[in-house]
Each structure stands twice: as C-alpha cells, then as structure tokens.
Amino acid sequence: MSLAVALSDAFASRPDPAAVPVASIAVAVDQQTVIEAWGAKTSTLFQAASISKPVAAIVTLRLVADGHLDLDADVNRFLTSWQLPGDPGVSVTVRHLLCHGGGLSVHGFPGYRQDQALPSLADILDGRPPSNTPAVRREDPPGREWRYSGGGYQVLQQLLEDVTGRAFADLAGELVLRPAGMTTATYAQPDPADAAAPHIEGRPEAWMIYPEHAAAGLWCTPTDLLHLAQAIQSAVAGEAGAVLPQELAEQMVTPQLGDSGLGLGIGGDGDRRNFSHAGGNYGYRCAMLGAVNTRNAAVLMTNSDEGLSVLGPMAAAITASTSWQLT
C-alpha cells in the first residue's frame, strides 16, 4: 500500500469523525514527499500554536551566530525596555529560555477573542490588563530542572526586539520563514476563507488571537513546517546556505535539560535520534517530527481540540508503509 493511501485510510478510520473534521499532513520519507489534506486544501492555514517556538529559537540562534547574543549570558544584559525581576546575582540565560530551564512562570496562553482588546508585550510580561495571564516571573532556580514556560519565550521575544529594534514578526520573516521556504507562514490574522476554523468538542468556533508571537502566534500549513524541519536537518548536516551554522544546529538538537534541546524536544538515540514539537491552541492541535540523521520528517495539523487522536494512526501508517519506524 502506498504511503498516501495508508495516510488516507488512517484518517478515515479515526474514532470520531465529527470531533476531528479537518486534518492536513506533509511527510518526507524515503526520498518521497506526500502532502495531503482531508476536509480542506493543502494550502489551508492552521494555527501552529507552540510549534511557533522552534521558529523563535532559530531567530535567536541566528543572532547568536552573528555575534549579537551570547547563549550563556544573563538575559537582563540584553533586555533594555523591560527587565526580568528577581535576584540579580542569579542569572537566567538565553539558553535557559530556549530549553525551558529558566524556572519561569506561565506555562501557556489561552488566546483572545477577536472582539477583545489585545495586550502589548509589556502587558503580557507584567500580567497587566488586558493581558489574561499572570506576570512572567522567576519561580524556581534556573538550570535545575525542565519547566515548560511559554512565558519564557515571551521574555525571549522582548529580548530579540530590544537587541534589534525590530518587531519579532519581521525578524522571523527575514531570518527563518523566507530562508526556510515557509512561503505561506504568517503572524497576521488570515482571511477566514484561507484558514481552518477551530473545533471544540466537535463544534465550530471562531479562532482566538495569540499576540504572543514567539510562543504561540504562527499561522502556517504543514508544508511550511515540513520545510522548517528540513531546514533544521540541512543545518545539522552542515550544508552551505543553511539557516544556522552546523555547531549551533547541533546544539539545537542536543538535550540541554531533560529531553529539551534549544526550542525542540529530543528523543531516541543513534539512527533513531529525532527532534519534535507539538502544539495546542484553542481548537487546534498539531505535531512536527524530524529525524536528526536522515531527511525523514512529518507534520500533522488539525482544527480540533481532539486532533492528536489521529497522530497515533498516522504514525502507524508511516511505519507500515516506509522504513521510518515511528511506533
């Protein structure tokens, strides 16, 4: 059975079709690429949710490569418009933010209705209305243990904007989206005709807006994220013109604290070493997985809060139809 047919069968056999009405997938494996969508076009946009974070990580590492940032320097050295409160004798570093090792608060963000006022980045960092999340603050000693913090990525966004004097969305476009070939990826709100509407418990809803661009604000297609995974693989391989120097790309896919690399989760070993990131915004679920030592990669995006229920069947279809062993 071909991979395309196996993937279609996996989606068709999902337990509750009403709960996951739309899915889109992009897979590159065994030198073949399969791009499919069910209930939508392959060009339909989804919220990438937390898969926004690897983009922010590459932006950061590009500035490290250019000498504008130091991975192991205190973030307050680079923050000029805002400072991370706490003991100045205990450094939270750029590396800590990238690998969720800063001990910072605010796990994630719920988003804002389209008729709500949106907070500024300063509002988000200080938990000030109209922000709907608490202030981003130190709660545990840095470097001791992994603690997922979307708030830390908003500190990172402020740092990047302070260092460059540019909006994060513009930086990401110049340093990552365009070089990686993510041609439809955007931080702007799309035309509804171009985007999959989110579903909660099988009900269509209006999407939420996420002004937290570095942590959760990217809109894109699975093809865009497949190109992101391939850009990381090219950098790890040391190819000319890659988005990162090989040494920094290797750090990105090397565990720093627990199973966290720089902006990515890291799993497996040897030939099965992989990098990944999942995402979950209001009514959207998605996942990206790439092999470190081969060019295999896969991205699944759905418009449902139950979307990851089809991830297992999709992984099984890839395993059954190719040489890539995901299950």
Side-chain angles (χ1 to χ4, degrees):
M1 182 185 298
S2 73
L3 177 56
V5 171
L7 292 170
S8 292
D9 287 350
F11 183 70
S13 65
R14 65 200 186 281
D16 187 353
V20 188
V22 172
S24 186
I25 195 167
V27 181
V29 60
D30 295 344
Q31 298 184 335
Q32 64 175 318
T33 299
V34 175
I35 298 171
E36 295 281 352
W38 302 275
K41 302 175 183 177
T42 56
S43 60
T44 296
L45 296 170
F46 297 78
Q47 289 188 0
S50 286
I51 310 182
S52 304
K53 293 179 177 70
V55 173
I58 296 175
V59 173
T60 304
L61 293 173
R62 284 288 302 270
L63 294 183
V64 171
D66 292 341
H68 300 301
L69 290 176
D70 181 338
L71 270 176
D72 297 305
D74 192 308
V75 297
N76 280 335
R77 171 180 159 189
F78 303 104
L79 288 161
T80 57
S81 64
W82 180 87
Q83 291 274 286
L84 179 64
D87 186 347
V90 179
S91 291
V92 174
T93 68
V94 177
R95 187 185 303 272
H96 287 147
L97 297 184
L98 288 172
C99 71
H100 300 285
L104 301 187
S105 62
V106 187
H107 181 276
F109 301 96
Y112 296 82
R113 295 193 315 270
Q114 296 178 33
D115 62 352
Q116 286 183 296
L118 299 179
S120 67
L121 182 51
D123 292 335
I124 293 165
L125 292 172
D126 285 328
R128 183 173 59 234
S131 173
N132 59 11
T133 50
V136 180
R137 296 292 185 264
R138 310 181 198 216
E139 292 193 340
D140 295 318
R144 180 173 296 180
E145 62 183 16
W146 180 86
R147 174 176 175 161
Y148 192 88
S149 174
Y153 269 73
Q154 290 314 113
V155 174
L156 189 67
Q157 179 175 331
Q158 185 66 74
L159 181 154
L160 296 171
E161 293 186 353
D162 284 351
V163 167
T164 64
R166 299 178 62 191
F168 173 80
D170 293 337
L171 281 173
E174 177 184 328
L175 299 180
V176 184
L177 305 186
R178 289 195 291 276
M182 301 172 67
T183 57
T184 55
T186 180
Y187 294 91
Q189 300 308 300
D191 186 317
D194 298 329
H199 282 64
I200 300 294
E201 297 181 348
R203 302 184 312 272
E205 303 277 356
W207 68 65
M208 295 289 192
I209 296 176
Y210 290 80
E212 302 89 358
H213 287 171
L218 185 67
W219 286 88
C220 64
T221 67
T223 302
D224 290 319
L225 292 182
L226 180 65
H227 289 163
L228 176 66
Q230 292 171 325
I232 294 168
Q233 291 168 332
S234 295
V236 171
E239 293 184 1
V243 294
L244 289 175
Q246 187 176 27
E247 186 272 333
L248 286 174
E250 282 284 0
Q251 290 194 55
M252 193 175 186
V253 298
T254 298
Q256 307 288 316
L257 195 61
D259 294 328
S260 181
L262 300 179
L264 295 165
I266 310 301
D269 53 30
D271 290 341
R272 298 190 67 174
R273 191 158 62 110
N274 62 72
F275 59 86
S276 64
H277 213 295
N281 278 1
Y282 182 83
Y284 296 94
R285 297 293 185 272
C286 49
M288 176 183 75
L289 177 68
V292 172
N293 299 317
T294 71
R295 296 310 173 93
N296 296 339
V299 178
L300 173 69
M301 306 188 82
T302 75
N303 70 334
S304 169
D305 59 340
E306 300 181 39
L308 292 187
S309 66
V310 303
L311 184 60
M314 291 290 189
I318 293 171
T319 293
S321 304
T322 72
S323 66
W324 195 14
Q325 300 301 299
L326 298 181
T327 58

